Amino acid sequence: PLSRRLACGDVEGRLEALFGRVRTIQGKSGHFDMLLCVGNFFGATSEAEWAEYRTGAKKAPIPTYVLGANDQETVGYFPDVSGCELAENITYLGRRGLYSGTSGLQIAYLSGTESQDEPAPDYSFSAKDVSELKTSLLSNPNFKGVDILLTSPWPRDVGTFANSAGEIDTKKCGSKLVSDLAASLKPRYHFAALEKAYYERLPYRNHTVLQETPQHVSRFIALADVGNTSKKKYLYAFSITPMSLMDPAELVKQPQDVTENPYRKSRKEAQKTKAPLCAEEESACQFFFDLNKHQGKKRPSDGKETGNSQPKQAKKPSQPTGPCWFCLASPDVEKHLVVSIGTHCYLALAKGGLLPDHVLILPIGHYQSVVDLSSEVVEEVTKYKSALKEFFRSKGKRYVLFERNYRSQHLQLQVIPIPLDHCTPEDIKESFIAQAQEQQIELVEIPEHSDITQV
């Protein structure tokens, strides 16, 4: 049972404009089941228009569900905090809760704006309201998410990893509590308003790739105010089948343009204490991108599946198939770039470095990639890495390290230093993810402390 719904931004009391538009849409494209209004339903000048609906002289053309007040001025329009019918076909949902439609559609809602005070004023919600709403839903062991979430404020940071929200700065606008609620309730659609802007975010994932089973995606849509002069979109039409009635495989299909979850970073930050990391503790993220993947070929195995984890036999370095610029014994190696030579590895400046202090860690023998290295070479690579970490740290930098193993004969670990005060590891990770999405490259995050040879 595919039901057709409409969602709408701040009405500000312009009921004639809104319902006129709804009538036109229904005339053109048929019946819609309900209209969901987020943001300010009433405005400073609502009284005269509203009186006609309240007394029954006029009637809304569609069952309309609204959120409560966002300021002291309009609190009087909502007589009952737990929700009530305001006029025929117009229902106030209440301060917070879950509305289940007859079709099985589940709509979670939170009225008002964020407040730091406990108890919050009549037009606000507090951390306690959000945590009680979360608990009431998450206590069901079969909870997988809600179909729709309605809030008036935007969630803070919703633009992370996504398309631009225009002139709205998503790092400064909206509510962190709403982000937290959206991250927990995993709505398939989340509507908000109050910023007088239209923003349809790319859909985002609700699971960590490779570490969790796939879940449905979420779509965030912010709507402008009714009848705005700049013709920004304030009414959004969508069709939805309740999650509970969908085939699970259909539900978790990932669209092409799906992005990383925007709230994961802020949730991690909330869990961490804000103590600065020392060099040893600094969190490392590893990414892996398989260039063979889209050709659908399995990686060649060495003919036997090793179920038991025996220590890897040291591989003999293979012989280069042609002249190799990186074999230290080769006449082609540019000796003037070499910085330091160890027993198994050496350090050299990059020939066409991204920065003046871009360096490479290279094995002396001819190995193609990190996964081919014997344990003593790995050990020396690790020593070079920690020496570089310390050296760059003394210059006020940290490094990003990558291996490009694509039609290359000889392993090169590229070490790129970045000023410490410019970005946190999270920022660096964020730019990798954002760039990868722009280039349509699928990055796979490898769990921390896991060994690439296992992957």
Side-chain angles (χ1 to χ4, degrees), residues 6 73 117 132 207 239 310 353 369-370 385 418 430:
L6 289 168
E73 288 69 72
D117 304 330
E132 283 175 9
H207 64 278
S239 298
Q310 287 175 337
S369 94
V370 163
K385 279 158 72 169
I418 290 173
E430 204 172 302

Side-chain angles (χ1 to χ4, degrees), residues 227-353:
N228 66 84
T229 50
S230 8
K231 302 253 186 295
K232 289 179 191 156
K233 185 164 174 163
Y234 64 82
L235 204 53
Y236 181 90
F238 63 110
S239 298
I240 186 167
T241 299
M243 199 187 293
S244 53
L245 302 175
M246 282 183 74
D247 167 42
E250 195 59 38
L251 178 66
V252 303
K253 271 195 180 156
Q254 305 291 302
Q256 277 283 271
D257 54 356
V258 67
T259 77
E260 198 61 34
N261 189 306
Y263 313 124
R264 189 151 283 147
K265 178 179 162 188
S266 49
R267 295 188 94 187
K268 270 190 190 151
E269 279 168 4
Q271 285 156 10
K272 275 192 294 204
T273 48
K274 288 278 184 262
L277 296 166
C278 67
E280 283 67 56
E281 293 168 339
E282 183 172 305
S283 64
C285 353
Q286 317 181 58
F287 286 114
F288 169 71
F289 167 57
D290 185 353
L291 283 151
N292 289 323
K293 186 133 174 261
H294 55 91
Q295 294 148 12
K297 281 201 294 246
K298 245 185 116 178
R299 294 177 139 204
S301 73
D302 47 11
K304 56 185 186 296
E305 292 301 313
T306 47
N308 51 356
S309 52
Q310 287 175 337
K312 258 195 152 179
Q313 292 308 305
K315 273 200 179 178
K316 291 243 175 359
S318 58
Q319 287 313 302
T321 51
C324 177
W325 298 335
F326 301 108
C327 283
L328 203 50
S330 151
D332 297 289
V333 79
E334 308 217 19
K335 305 270 194 297
H336 67 284
L337 294 174
V338 175
V339 178
S340 142
I341 302 176
T343 317
H344 305 285
C345 300
Y346 71 101
L347 192 68
L349 284 164
K351 192 174 177 183

Side-chain angles (χ1 to χ4, degrees), residues 71-87:
D71 52 46
Q72 190 57 60
E73 288 69 72
T74 55
V75 167
Y77 286 102
F78 303 95
D80 183 349
V81 290
S82 57
C84 55
E85 190 176 73
L86 299 177

Side-chain angles (χ1 to χ4, degrees), residues 148-149 152 158 182 236 262 266 398 403:
I148 298 171
L149 172 62
S152 286
V158 67
Y236 181 90
S266 49
R398 62 158 61 88
E403 170 187 359

